[in-house]
Amino acid sequence: MVNSLGFDRAPGETRVVVAMSGGVDSSVVAGLLAREGYEVIGVTLQLYDHGEATFRKGSCCAGQDIHDARRVSAALGIPHYVLDYEERFRKAVIEPFAESYALGETPIPCVSCNQSVKFVDLMEVAKDLGADCLATGHYVRSRIVDGKRQLLRPLDGDKDQTYFLFATTAGQLDYLRFPLGNMTKDETRALAREMGLTIAEKSDSQDICFVPKGSYSDVIKKLMPEAEVPGDIVDQHGKVLGRHKGIIHYTVGQRRGLGIASGEPLYVLKLDARTQQVVVGPKSALSTHTVRLRDINWLGPKPLVEMVAGNGMALEAKVRSTRAPQEAVIFVRDGEVYVTLIAGEAGIAPGQACVLYSDDSEDAQVLGGGFIAEAVPAAMVA
């Protein structure tokens, strides 16, 4: 008989480490598995300690959240460990985030955190503890097809977190379990109330948990004071329209705060770290159809080059965590991987993720994805 986590043994003979952030989702995962009779061990990583950020609504893995994870574990009667990973988190996530931003990119630290600290370091901790698997509170699903575990979109499309997990490797997927994949957030909160957990109404964590007051530039200036370099604000033809205090204060697609008088609304089109220029233009110039990807992680049933041979392969792609996937085509040219978005997207910036799906169904498989290296001009892919 196979248990709910896919092991051919009784739950009591299966040891599970649950990554507990102190939030509702991971707490319910620990409660569900403990209730089913698994040998559950809760582990919380202390990732940062940045003053106000540790008490800000929507933070995670710091301050009050660690106390919440401890209280939940005590209520459930499971062992709980807190590991100090601040130094590792700073080097693997915060510093690369600042460096990427200083280069004019729009990085996604949640992906980096999953790639390094959570699905590498924490996984090693789980294995050292003799766990059969590592369970998390992510809203994604996985299943085994033809002997290979696939990553799938969750039942609750509004909570779909596959965008942040596209870089999960096949080997990591084999060890991970996602008990909330077939549940909605409302059902999760209802279970937290049923279990009598004090965090049942706690707010969800925010994407960039370590940024106090949501000010990216403050974090970057603290880590890289030299990154705040003044420069010119120019139009698409290079005409100087004004000055800025540093490209770290801007993002592609931004309209407010440019400080330029113009007859039409102007938007940030590009950030050039080499010249320290902020390039602005009309909203129509933000539209992009094709992107070039780097650092590809492929989870498809066959190698990428086989599946996209010839004229490429139709699939669905997502370049915003809050948007639904859209029709797209992936192709390889001169060794580089490109994705053409049929409907296009506005304000795409280097550093963002492009996540690829098999189709537009609720049961769609995550085929992988990559980080956007550049938005490609139409003439280059015609």
Side-chain angles (χ1 to χ4, degrees), residues 19-21 43-50 53-54 59-63 65-66 82-94 109-110 112-114 116-119 121-122 207 209-210:
M20 299 184 68
S21 66
V43 175
T44 299
L45 302 181
Q46 179 174 323
L47 299 182
Y48 62 93
D49 184 11
H50 291 178
T54 61
S59 65
C60 74
C61 303
D65 308 296
I66 293 174
V82 178
L83 305 179
D84 184 353
Y85 269 51
E86 285 191 34
E87 182 69 13
R88 170 64 171 150
F89 185 69
R90 182 178 63 82
K91 291 182 177 180
V93 179
I94 299 179
C110 273
S112 301
C113 185
N114 290 329
S116 55
V117 179
K118 290 182 179 177
F119 290 171
D121 299 328
L122 181 53
D207 287 352
C209 57
F210 57 86

Side-chain angles (χ1 to χ4, degrees), residues 112-179:
S112 301
C113 185
N114 290 329
Q115 274 185 303
S116 55
V117 179
K118 290 182 179 177
F119 290 171
V120 174
D121 299 328
L122 181 53
M123 195 170 286
E124 286 303 314
V125 170
K127 290 177 180 178
D128 288 344
L129 290 172
D132 296 290
C133 63
L134 171 66
T136 80
H138 290 102
Y139 286 86
V140 300
R141 289 185 287 184
S142 69
R143 68 181 177 196
I144 296 178
V145 177
D146 297 329
K148 184 176 182 180
R149 187 170 289 276
Q150 299 178 341
L151 182 63
L152 310 172
R153 297 183 69 191
L155 176 69
D156 189 344
D158 292 335
K159 293 297 296 179
D160 186 348
Q161 292 175 300
T162 53
Y163 183 83
F164 301 105
L165 299 185
F166 82 87
T168 307
T169 66
Q172 291 167 345
L173 272 181
D174 284 338
Y175 193 69
L176 289 164
R177 298 294 185 273
F178 309 105

Side-chain angles (χ1 to χ4, degrees), residues 24 28 187-201:
V24 179
V28 168
E187 290 172 335
T188 300
R189 286 198 185 277
L191 278 170
R193 296 185 196 103
E194 178 188 320
M195 295 174 188
L197 303 182
T198 56
I199 45 74
E201 310 304 329

